[in-house]
Amino acid sequence: MGAHDDLDSKDAKGVYECEKDNITLLAVIGVRDEPRKEVPDAIKKCHGAGITVRMVTGDNIVTARAIAKDVGIVEEGKDFLAMEGPDFIKLVGGVICKKCRTITCPCPTMTKNIKDGEELRVDTIANGEEFDKIKDKLLVLARSRPEDKYALVTGLRERGNVVAVTGDGTNDAPALKKADVGFAMGIAGTEVAREAAHITLIDDNFSSIVKAVLWGRNIYDSIRKFVQFQLTVNVVAVGCTLIGATIL
């Protein structure tokens, strides 16, 4: 631009006249937000443990699909489905009340609001048959809104899946609260997300979830083995005592 260029008037698109001519392209700069180095290995461990990892993001579908392949959410040679949030909701019909079959209804959503003779609202997917067709292959949900995330969690839980959700924003709160286990980010997470979640990750590290699963399964297996051992010993001891008392 020169010293005498008109910088007061723009056209209908907000472009100065001096910006339309005599301009030379010097460079194109691209910025890439690299995933953390430990994420691909953590996702690989999740797959090995039988855990399905899904990406639900506000990014466009091209970016989301590329990142999913980069970090290993989509395994090589595996058929998967990537959708945008609005298309997902349009297909499955969104979340409705199981009793009233409407999106909004007079049913109470909190226990303290229940009156005599009323039942607590139970959310369900409107078009469950369509959800069943895509639920196993749907690994990437792009351009997602809070209602899209909530619908995905609702549908998966309704079909007996144990669902864990990670998030750091206010728009993640409904899904975090609906999940069996909600993980909020302690550093980058908002106060709303931390309040809605069940667990707060103080290091904002996805691999910490893998460690939580590892220790959780270890404790569960230990408790099961202990109960099995105690039942076996006690049944044998009681049986021997009864048999001995009867013979004598």
Side-chain angles (χ1 to χ4, degrees), residues 54-58 139-142 144-145 148-149 152 166 172:
R54 307 175 196 268
M55 174 186 288
V56 183
T57 177
L139 299 180
V140 178
L141 192 61
S144 58
R145 305 159 298 179
D148 306 327
K149 302 174 186 179
L152 180 60
T166 64
D172 297 318

Side-chain angles (χ1 to χ4, degrees), residues 215-233:
W215 286 109
R217 290 187 175 183
N218 181 273
I219 293 172
Y220 174 79
D221 288 340
S222 298
I223 293 175
R224 186 176 61 180
K225 291 175 182 178
F226 173 77
V227 172
Q228 184 179 12
F229 172 76
Q230 288 296 323
L231 285 175
T232 303
V233 171

Side-chain angles (χ1 to χ4, degrees), residues 4-188:
H4 302 290
D5 289 330
D6 181 11
L7 299 180
D8 295 324
S9 59
K10 300 180 181 179
D11 62 12
K13 296 182 179 179
V15 180
Y16 294 109
E17 287 297 326
C18 59
E19 295 177 318
K20 299 179 180 179
D21 300 309
N22 300 322
I23 295 178
T24 302
L25 177 65
L26 298 178
V28 176
I29 300 176
V31 180
R32 176 186 171 110
D33 187 8
E34 288 284 348
R36 291 192 177 190
K37 295 180 179 180
E38 66 274 6
V39 171
D41 184 58
I43 292 176
K44 186 177 180 179
K45 289 180 179 178
C46 286
H47 289 162
I51 301 172
T52 301
V53 181
R54 307 175 196 268
M55 174 186 288
V56 183
T57 177
D59 291 331
N60 69 70
I61 194 167
V62 177
T63 303
R65 189 185 289 113
I67 294 175
K69 291 181 178 179
D70 195 24
V71 299
I73 291 177
V74 178
E75 299 178 90
E76 191 68 29
K78 182 178 179 180
D79 186 24
F80 75 101
L81 180 63
M83 297 183 67
E84 292 189 346
D87 295 331
F88 169 71
I89 287 294
K90 184 178 180 180
L91 179 65
V92 303
V95 176
I96 61 174
C97 175
K98 193 170 186 178
K99 176 184 176 183
C100 305
R101 305 303 297 178
T102 56
I103 297 177
T104 58
C105 69
C107 297
T109 57
M110 298 180 65
T111 306
K112 64 180 181 180
N113 295 333
I114 293 181
K115 300 178 181 178
D116 293 338
E118 286 187 327
E119 296 181 2
L120 193 65
R121 171 175 169 137
V122 177
D123 288 332
T124 185
I125 297 296
N127 195 345
E129 293 182 358
E130 291 297 330
F131 186 89
D132 290 334
K133 293 179 182 178
I134 65 172
K135 66 180 179 65
D136 294 328
K137 290 186 177 181
L138 182 59
L139 299 180
V140 178
L141 192 61
R143 293 296 186 191
S144 58
R145 305 159 298 179
E147 56 266 34
D148 306 327
K149 302 174 186 179
Y150 185 83
L152 180 60
V153 175
T154 300
L156 291 173
R157 287 199 63 190
E158 190 178 17
R159 282 147 185 81
N161 296 277
V162 178
V163 182
V165 174
T166 64
D168 57 5
T170 302
N171 60 346
D172 297 318
L176 287 169
K177 193 174 185 63
K178 182 66 176 178
D180 291 288
V181 183
F183 292 91
M185 303 302 164
I187 300 175

